[in-house]
Amino acid sequence: MNITDYIKRKSVRVNQGLDSLLPSESAPPSEIHRAMRYSVFAGGKRLRPILTIATGEIFGIDERELLPTACAVEMIHTYSLIHDDLPAVDNDCLRRGHPTCHVKFGEALAIFAGDALLTQAFITLVDSGVSDPVKKVQVISEIALAAGTHKALIGGQALDIYYEGKQIEITQLNEIHAAKTGALICCAVRIGALIGGASQSELERLTKYGQKIGLAFQIVDDLLDETGTSATLGKSAGKDAVTQKATYVTLLGIDEAWRRAKQLCNEAIDEVGSISRDSSRLKGIARFIVERRS
Ligand code: GRG
């Protein structure tokens, strides 16, 4: 099966998993549940949960064991998108090809829907996550670190706002995006490895793979913002130029940014190539990250 078919098949499974794990729209408070489901099912590539599943599978773990944990990561990712789009943060009106959560439901409900998705992720991890209790605690701790700490999602977002309007260098841009975008992508890989019982050296290689594809993902995101359209991206294209934000494109130029993204992708492929397991899908996902157009 080629990687595009694999990604398609797994994203169907992730959507089914999310549907069964999220509270129903008919259950009160239904407005919040509607807003949560609206943003989760508006679209999305499901890259992070697919990374968790693909990593767990190289250790022979069944998809069913990995699915709730993978879905929890997607809930956290969707929460971060809802909050990132808020007027006080990026003030965006288009996401996943649809009006953003606050445009559709109002700001207060969007804040609550984001908070509720973050909480629902941990409820999922506790109730339906990994069966082995030691691994379960490791996974919950790993996800909490990626979602909540100064070196991850929240810290990256805070740094992004702090550096707004300031002249920054590539090292500071790497610092922002290793945290804001990279931490959750890397975490998605690491938890698949932890569930799979990876050895220390396998975990180290997979961590490097996760860090490299995380950075490559953001470089391509910046490139697509510059070169793509809102219709293909499903979000406002050209936003970085309007907000005059430092990006990989503004600091490196288009050609050098593509070169770095491809180089990171090749380095990530080398990392997993050195593990003596079938890493062909992880290699395929690394290539997908650089070849994607949305
Ligand atoms: C507001 C301080 C504060 C904290 C909340 C908002 C937030 C935490 C963090 C922001 C993290 C964020 C939105 C990073 C951007 C990462 C990124 C490039 C997302 C797009 O990912 P895709 O392309 O999206 O995988 P789809 O829609 O395909 O899932």
Coordinates of all heavy atoms in Angstrom, one line a residue, residues 206-269:
L206 N 13.8 7.9 17.1 CA 12.5 8.3 16.7 C 12.2 9.7 17.2 O 11.5 10.5 16.6 CB 11.4 7.3 17.3 CG 11.4 6.0 16.5 CD1 10.7 4.9 17.3 CD2 10.6 6.2 15.2
T207 N 12.8 10.1 18.4 CA 12.7 11.5 18.8 C 13.3 12.5 17.8 O 12.8 13.5 17.5 CB 13.3 11.7 20.2 OG1 12.7 10.7 21.1 CG2 13.2 13.1 20.8
K208 N 14.5 12.1 17.4 CA 15.2 12.9 16.4 C 14.4 13.0 15.1 O 14.3 14.1 14.5 CB 16.6 12.4 16.0 CG 17.6 12.7 17.2 CD 19.0 12.4 16.7 CE 19.9 12.5 17.9 NZ 21.0 11.6 17.9
Y209 N 13.8 11.9 14.7 CA 12.9 11.9 13.5 C 11.8 12.8 13.7 O 11.5 13.7 12.9 CB 12.4 10.4 13.3 CG 11.2 10.3 12.4 CD1 11.4 10.2 11.0 CD2 9.9 10.3 12.9 CE1 10.3 10.1 10.2 CE2 8.8 10.2 12.1 CZ 9.0 10.1 10.7 OH 7.9 10.0 9.9
G210 N 11.2 12.8 14.9 CA 10.0 13.6 15.2 C 10.4 15.1 15.2 O 9.7 16.0 14.7
Q211 N 11.6 15.4 15.8 CA 12.0 16.8 15.8 C 12.3 17.3 14.4 O 11.9 18.5 14.1 CB 13.3 16.9 16.7 CG 13.0 16.7 18.1 CD 14.3 16.5 18.9 OE1 15.3 16.1 18.4 NE2 14.2 16.8 20.2
K212 N 12.9 16.5 13.6 CA 13.2 16.9 12.2 C 12.0 17.1 11.4 O 11.8 18.1 10.6 CB 14.2 16.0 11.6 CG 15.6 16.1 12.2 CD 16.6 15.1 11.7 CE 17.9 15.1 12.4 NZ 18.7 16.3 12.3
I213 N 11.0 16.2 11.4 CA 9.8 16.3 10.6 C 9.0 17.5 11.1 O 8.3 18.2 10.4 CB 9.0 15.0 10.5 CG1 8.5 14.5 11.8 CG2 9.7 14.0 9.6 CD1 7.4 13.5 11.7
G214 N 9.1 17.7 12.5 CA 8.3 18.8 13.1 C 8.8 20.2 12.5 O 7.9 21.0 12.1
L215 N 10.1 20.3 12.4 CA 10.6 21.6 11.9 C 10.4 21.7 10.3 O 10.0 22.7 9.8 CB 12.1 21.6 12.1 CG 12.7 23.0 12.5 CD1 11.8 23.7 13.6 CD2 14.1 22.8 13.0
A216 N 10.6 20.5 9.7 CA 10.3 20.5 8.2 C 8.8 20.9 7.9 O 8.5 21.6 7.0 CB 10.6 19.1 7.6
F217 N 7.9 20.4 8.8 CA 6.5 20.7 8.7 C 6.2 22.2 8.7 O 5.5 22.7 7.9 CB 5.7 20.0 9.8 CG 4.2 20.2 9.7 CD1 3.4 19.3 8.9 CD2 3.6 21.2 10.3 CE1 2.1 19.5 8.8 CE2 2.2 21.4 10.2 CZ 1.5 20.6 9.4
Q218 N 6.9 22.8 9.7 CA 6.7 24.3 9.8 C 7.3 25.1 8.7 O 6.7 26.1 8.2 CB 7.2 24.8 11.2 CG 6.9 26.3 11.4 CD 5.5 26.6 11.5 OE1 4.7 25.9 12.2 NE2 5.0 27.6 10.7
I219 N 8.4 24.7 8.2 CA 9.0 25.4 7.1 C 8.1 25.3 5.9 O 7.8 26.3 5.2 CB 10.4 24.8 6.7 CG1 11.4 24.9 7.9 CG2 11.0 25.4 5.4 CD1 12.8 24.3 7.7
V220 N 7.6 24.1 5.6 CA 6.6 23.9 4.5 C 5.4 24.7 4.7 O 4.8 25.3 3.8 CB 6.3 22.4 4.3 CG1 5.2 22.2 3.2 CG2 7.6 21.7 3.9
D221 N 4.9 24.8 6.0 CA 3.7 25.6 6.3 C 4.0 27.1 5.9 O 3.1 27.7 5.3 CB 3.5 25.5 7.8 CG 2.0 25.8 8.2 OD1 1.2 24.9 7.8 OD2 1.7 26.8 8.8
D222 N 5.1 27.6 6.3 CA 5.5 28.9 5.9 C 5.6 29.1 4.4 O 5.1 30.1 3.8 CB 6.9 29.3 6.5 CG 6.8 29.5 8.0 OD1 5.7 29.5 8.6 OD2 7.9 29.7 8.6
L223 N 6.1 28.1 3.7 CA 6.2 28.2 2.2 C 4.9 28.2 1.6 O 4.6 28.9 0.7 CB 7.1 27.0 1.7 CG 8.6 27.2 1.9 CD1 9.3 25.9 1.9 CD2 9.1 28.1 0.7
L224 N 4.0 27.3 2.1 CA 2.6 27.2 1.5 C 1.8 28.5 1.8 O 1.0 28.9 1.0 CB 1.9 26.0 2.1 CG 2.4 24.6 1.7 CD1 1.7 23.5 2.3 CD2 2.4 24.5 0.2
D225 N 2.1 29.1 3.0 CA 1.4 30.4 3.3 C 1.8 31.4 2.2 O 1.0 32.3 1.8 CB 1.8 30.9 4.7 CG 1.1 32.2 5.0 OD1 0.0 32.2 5.4 OD2 1.8 33.3 4.8
E226 N 3.1 31.4 1.8 CA 3.6 32.3 0.8 C 3.1 32.0 -0.6 O 2.7 32.9 -1.4 CB 5.1 32.3 0.9 CG 5.8 33.2 -0.2 CD 5.9 34.7 0.1 OE1 5.6 35.0 1.3 OE2 6.1 35.4 -0.8
T227 N 3.1 30.7 -1.0 CA 2.9 30.3 -2.4 C 1.5 29.7 -2.6 O 1.1 29.6 -3.8 CB 4.0 29.3 -2.8 OG1 3.9 28.1 -1.9 CG2 5.4 29.8 -2.7
G228 N 0.8 29.3 -1.6 CA -0.5 28.6 -1.8 C -1.6 29.6 -1.8 O -1.5 30.8 -1.7
T229 N -2.8 29.0 -2.0 CA -4.1 29.9 -2.0 C -4.9 29.4 -0.8 O -4.8 28.3 -0.3 CB -4.9 29.7 -3.3 OG1 -5.3 28.3 -3.3 CG2 -4.1 30.0 -4.5
S230 N -5.8 30.4 -0.4 CA -6.7 30.0 0.8 C -7.6 28.8 0.4 O -7.9 28.0 1.3 CB -7.6 31.2 1.1 OG -6.8 32.3 1.4
A231 N -8.0 28.7 -0.9 CA -8.8 27.6 -1.3 C -8.1 26.3 -1.1 O -8.7 25.3 -0.6 CB -9.3 27.8 -2.8
T232 N -6.9 26.2 -1.5 CA -6.2 24.9 -1.4 C -5.8 24.6 0.0 O -5.8 23.5 0.5 CB -4.9 24.7 -2.3 OG1 -4.1 25.9 -2.1 CG2 -5.3 24.6 -3.8
L233 N -5.4 25.7 0.8 CA -4.9 25.5 2.1 C -6.1 25.3 3.1 O -5.9 24.7 4.2 CB -4.1 26.7 2.6 CG -2.8 27.0 1.8 CD1 -2.1 28.2 2.3 CD2 -1.8 25.7 1.8
G234 N -7.2 25.9 2.8 CA -8.3 25.8 3.8 C -8.2 26.8 4.9 O -8.9 26.8 5.9
K235 N -7.1 27.7 4.8 CA -6.9 28.7 5.8 C -6.4 29.9 5.1 O -6.0 29.8 3.9 CB -6.0 28.3 6.9 CG -4.6 27.8 6.5 CD -3.8 27.3 7.6 CE -2.4 26.9 7.2 NZ -1.6 26.4 8.3
S236 N -6.4 31.1 5.7 CA -6.0 32.3 5.0 C -4.6 32.3 4.6 O -3.6 32.3 5.4 CB -6.2 33.5 5.9 OG -7.4 33.4 6.7
A237 N -4.4 32.3 3.2 CA -3.0 32.3 2.7 C -2.5 33.7 2.7 O -3.2 34.7 2.8 CB -3.0 31.8 1.3
G238 N -1.2 33.8 2.7 CA -0.5 35.2 2.7 C -0.6 35.9 4.0 O -0.4 37.1 4.1
K239 N -1.0 35.2 5.1 CA -1.2 35.9 6.3 C 0.1 36.4 6.9 O 0.1 37.5 7.5 CB -1.9 34.9 7.3 CG -2.3 35.4 8.6 CD -3.8 35.5 8.7 CE -4.3 36.4 9.8 NZ -4.0 35.9 11.1
D240 N 1.2 35.7 6.7 CA 2.5 36.0 7.3 C 3.0 37.4 6.7 O 3.5 38.2 7.5 CB 3.5 34.9 7.1 CG 3.1 33.6 7.8 OD1 2.4 33.7 8.8 OD2 3.6 32.6 7.3
A241 N 2.7 37.5 5.4 CA 3.2 38.8 4.8 C 2.4 40.0 5.3 O 3.0 41.0 5.6 CB 3.0 38.7 3.3
V242 N 1.1 39.8 5.5 CA 0.2 40.8 6.0 C 0.6 41.2 7.5 O 0.7 42.4 7.8 CB -1.3 40.4 6.0 CG1 -2.2 41.4 6.7 CG2 -1.7 40.2 4.6
T243 N 0.9 40.2 8.3 CA 1.2 40.5 9.7 C 2.7 40.8 9.9 O 3.1 41.1 11.0 CB 0.9 39.3 10.6 OG1 1.5 38.1 10.1 CG2 -0.6 39.0 10.7
Q244 N 3.5 40.7 8.8 CA 4.9 41.0 8.9 C 5.6 40.1 9.9 O 6.5 40.6 10.6 CB 5.2 42.4 9.1 CG 4.7 43.3 7.9 CD 5.1 44.7 8.0 OE1 5.0 45.3 9.1 NE2 5.6 45.3 6.9
K245 N 5.2 38.9 10.0 CA 5.8 38.0 11.0 C 7.1 37.4 10.4 O 7.1 37.2 9.1 CB 4.9 36.8 11.2 CG 4.3 36.7 12.6 CD 3.6 35.4 12.8 CE 2.8 35.5 14.1 NZ 2.0 34.3 14.3
A246 N 8.1 37.2 11.2 CA 9.3 36.5 10.7 C 8.9 35.0 10.4 O 8.3 34.4 11.3 CB 10.4 36.6 11.7
T247 N 9.3 34.5 9.3 CA 9.0 33.1 8.9 C 10.3 32.6 8.3 O 11.2 33.3 8.0 CB 7.8 33.0 7.9 OG1 8.3 33.5 6.6 CG2 6.6 33.8 8.3
Y248 N 10.2 31.3 8.0 CA 11.4 30.7 7.3 C 11.5 31.3 5.9 O 12.7 31.4 5.4 CB 11.2 29.2 7.2 CG 11.5 28.5 8.6 CD1 10.4 28.2 9.4 CD2 12.8 28.4 9.0 CE1 10.7 27.6 10.6 CE2 13.0 27.9 10.3 CZ 11.9 27.5 11.1 OH 12.2 27.0 12.3
V249 N 10.4 31.7 5.3 CA 10.5 32.4 4.0 C 11.2 33.7 4.1 O 12.0 34.1 3.3 CB 9.1 32.4 3.3 CG1 9.2 33.2 2.0 CG2 8.6 31.0 3.1
T250 N 10.7 34.5 5.1 CA 11.3 35.9 5.2 C 12.8 35.8 5.6 O 13.6 36.6 5.1 CB 10.5 36.8 6.1 OG1 10.5 36.2 7.4 CG2 9.1 37.0 5.7
L251 N 13.1 34.9 6.4 CA 14.5 34.8 6.9 C 15.5 34.1 5.9 O 16.7 34.4 5.8 CB 14.6 34.2 8.3 CG 14.0 34.9 9.5 CD1 14.4 34.3 10.8 CD2 14.4 36.4 9.4
L252 N 14.9 33.1 5.2 CA 15.8 32.3 4.3 C 15.6 32.5 2.8 O 16.5 32.2 2.0 CB 15.6 30.8 4.6 CG 15.9 30.3 6.0 CD1 15.5 28.8 6.1 CD2 17.4 30.5 6.4
G253 N 14.4 33.0 2.5 CA 14.0 33.0 1.0 C 13.4 31.7 0.6 O 13.6 30.7 1.3
I254 N 12.7 31.7 -0.5 CA 11.9 30.5 -0.9 C 12.8 29.3 -1.2 O 12.6 28.2 -0.7 CB 11.0 30.8 -2.1 CG1 9.8 31.8 -1.6 CG2 10.4 29.6 -2.7 CD1 8.8 32.1 -2.6
D255 N 13.8 29.5 -2.0 CA 14.7 28.4 -2.4 C 15.4 27.7 -1.2 O 15.4 26.5 -1.1 CB 15.7 28.8 -3.5 CG 15.0 29.2 -4.8 OD1 13.8 28.9 -4.9 OD2 15.6 29.9 -5.6
E256 N 16.0 28.6 -0.4 CA 16.7 28.0 0.8 C 15.8 27.3 1.8 O 16.1 26.3 2.3 CB 17.5 29.1 1.4 CG 18.3 28.7 2.7 CD 19.3 27.6 2.5 OE1 19.7 27.3 1.3 OE2 19.8 27.0 3.5
A257 N 14.6 27.9 1.9 CA 13.6 27.3 2.8 C 13.2 25.9 2.3 O 13.2 24.9 3.1 CB 12.4 28.1 2.9
W258 N 13.0 25.7 1.0 CA 12.7 24.4 0.4 C 13.9 23.5 0.6 O 13.7 22.3 1.0 CB 12.4 24.5 -1.1 CG 11.0 24.8 -1.4 CD1 10.5 25.9 -2.2 CD2 9.8 24.1 -1.1 NE1 9.2 25.8 -2.3 CE2 8.7 24.8 -1.6 CE3 9.6 22.9 -0.3 CZ2 7.4 24.3 -1.4 CZ3 8.2 22.5 -0.1 CH2 7.2 23.2 -0.7
R259 N 15.1 24.0 0.4 CA 16.3 23.1 0.6 C 16.4 22.6 2.0 O 16.6 21.4 2.2 CB 17.5 23.9 0.2 CG 18.8 23.1 -0.1 CD 20.1 23.9 -0.1 NE 20.4 24.5 1.2 CZ 20.9 23.8 2.2 NH1 21.1 22.5 2.1 NH2 21.1 24.5 3.3
R260 N 16.1 23.5 3.0 CA 16.2 23.1 4.4 C 15.1 22.0 4.7 O 15.4 21.1 5.5 CB 16.1 24.3 5.3 CG 17.3 25.2 5.2 CD 17.8 25.5 6.5 NE 18.9 26.5 6.3 CZ 19.3 27.3 7.2 NH1 18.9 27.3 8.4 NH2 20.3 28.2 6.8
A261 N 13.9 22.3 4.2 CA 12.8 21.3 4.5 C 13.2 20.0 3.9 O 13.0 18.9 4.6 CB 11.5 21.8 3.9
K262 N 13.7 19.9 2.7 CA 14.1 18.6 2.1 C 15.2 18.0 2.9 O 15.3 16.8 3.1 CB 14.4 18.8 0.6 CG 13.2 19.1 -0.2 CD 13.6 19.4 -1.7 CE 12.3 19.9 -2.4 NZ 12.7 20.7 -3.6
Q263 N 16.2 18.8 3.3 CA 17.3 18.3 4.0 C 16.9 17.7 5.4 O 17.3 16.5 5.7 CB 18.3 19.4 4.3 CG 19.6 18.9 4.9 CD 20.5 20.1 5.4 OE1 20.4 21.2 4.8 NE2 21.4 19.9 6.3
L264 N 16.0 18.4 6.1 CA 15.4 17.8 7.3 C 14.7 16.5 7.1 O 14.8 15.6 7.9 CB 14.5 18.8 8.0 CG 15.2 20.0 8.7 CD1 14.2 21.2 8.9 CD2 15.8 19.5 10.1
C265 N 13.9 16.5 6.0 CA 13.2 15.3 5.6 C 14.2 14.1 5.4 O 14.0 13.0 5.9 CB 12.3 15.6 4.4 SG 11.7 14.1 3.6
N266 N 15.2 14.4 4.7 CA 16.2 13.3 4.4 C 16.9 12.8 5.7 O 17.2 11.6 5.9 CB 17.3 13.8 3.4 CG 16.7 13.9 2.0 OD1 15.7 13.2 1.7 ND2 17.2 14.7 1.2
E267 N 17.2 13.8 6.6 CA 17.9 13.4 7.8 C 16.9 12.6 8.7 O 17.3 11.6 9.4 CB 18.3 14.7 8.6 CG 19.5 15.4 8.0 CD 19.7 16.8 8.6 OE1 19.1 17.1 9.7 OE2 20.6 17.5 8.0
A268 N 15.6 13.0 8.7 CA 14.6 12.2 9.4 C 14.5 10.8 8.9 O 14.5 9.8 9.7 CB 13.3 12.9 9.3
I269 N 14.6 10.6 7.6 CA 14.5 9.3 6.9 C 15.7 8.5 7.4 O 15.6 7.3 7.7 CB 14.4 9.5 5.4 CG1 13.0 9.9 5.1 CG2 14.7 8.2 4.7 CD1 12.7 10.3 3.6

